[in-house]
Amino acid sequence: MTNDRESLQLKEHRAFQAKFWRLERVAWIFFALILVAVGLGLSGSGGPLSRSTLVADRSVADVPRFSRWEAPDEIRITLAPSSDQNLTLAAAFFSKFQIETMQPPPARTDPGQSSTVYHFGSSATKPLLVSINLRPLHPGQVAYPLGLNGKSVSAETFVWP
Amino acid sequence: MDSVIRGFAIYFVLLIAIRFSGRRTIAQMTAFDFVLLLIIAETTQQAMLGDDFSIANAAILILTLFGIDIALSYVKKWLPTLAVMVDGTPTVLVREGEVDTSALRWARLDEEDLLAAGRRQGLTSLDQIRFAILEASGGISIIPKK
């Protein structure tokens, strides 16, 4: 600490300031690393690592690996041709997410205690693309099974606060 | 409760980000520094309010932010070390006419910034400056030679 009592009444704490300047530069590197992680998609909302693809038989689910609290997100599902193209969402899913829209709308819904099954009809030849717009209700990690034409896959999403 | 947590989070995120960006940022030395602060204010407002634009939410947030600020002012009084860490300390940039180039560089300033501060005091050159101090607020105080 410098104290120029004769000329300048000032407590400078220069040693601390010098350390803090170095710490500042370390913080800048940390800021840059955060932005790189964001660019890679670790904060959700786009980026190569922001989504994961799950396959069950010939059905595919594209789910967010990282999402943001109260920010809109999407799950894209391609259901393989089947006599009953259906999607099952577990209670764990609804504890974390609110479905805003589902396209196409299901022909029939079977709500249950532990899961809800959405039936979309049947097609022996055409796969069906289902788009679910959702909004995370709470921050934190959530694991939820997805049923694609009755075949279960495990999905995991981390919701940033 | 959500609003209080959001208020706390944004307050401390801003405190850390602004403190570590250096005093040059808070001094609003250029038009862009000022614009940056405006953008940050707008961005944080969205994050704090969320989807709730009620008067109650705004009032809770205002009280939360003032509350944190008042509480922190007392904590800083009790813990002077914390005050130095949070608020920073003045740094002498020119001592008895000698420019501390190292301090200037670390503080992301240059002689032009000193001259600009000097001109506000009616000084026209560096050799008229006896002391220049980068204050904790980010401003530069100039003490001219007699």
Side-chain angles (χ1 to χ4, degrees), chain A residues 3-127:
Chain A
N3 195 353
D4 306 57
R5 288 199 181 279
E6 292 162 29
S7 50
L8 191 67
Q9 193 179 346
L10 176 75
K11 287 185 179 177
E12 199 188 344
H13 298 276
R14 189 52 176 270
F16 165 81
Q17 187 58 58
K19 279 183 198 160
F20 193 86
W21 276 328
R22 288 188 186 90
L23 187 63
E24 236 175 50
R25 270 52 178 181
V26 172
W28 295 355
I29 292 165
F30 186 64
F31 290 172
L33 290 175
I34 289 173
L35 293 177
V36 168
V38 168
L40 290 171
L42 297 182
S43 74
S45 194
L49 302 177
S50 69
R51 304 186 69 81
S52 58
T53 304
L54 309 165
V55 181
D57 204 1
R58 285 176 298 143
S59 299
V60 180
D62 176 39
V63 301
R65 193 178 277 137
F66 299 96
S67 198
R68 295 176 188 176
W69 180 31
E70 289 187 354
D73 215 321
E74 187 188 18
I75 289 180
R76 292 184 291 269
I77 288 163
T78 306
L79 293 170
S82 163
S83 57
D84 177 21
Q85 293 175 308
N86 66 77
L87 165 68
T88 307
L89 294 176
F93 175 86
F94 293 104
S95 71
K96 202 63 122 183
F97 296 106
Q98 176 189 1
I99 292 178
E100 296 193 323
T101 61
M102 190 182 282
Q103 287 297 334
R108 193 177 90 246
T109 305
D110 290 338
Q113 280 261 300
S114 58
S115 63
T116 301
V117 186
Y118 300 92
H119 300 272
F120 294 94
S122 66
S123 171
T125 54
K126 283 187 183 167

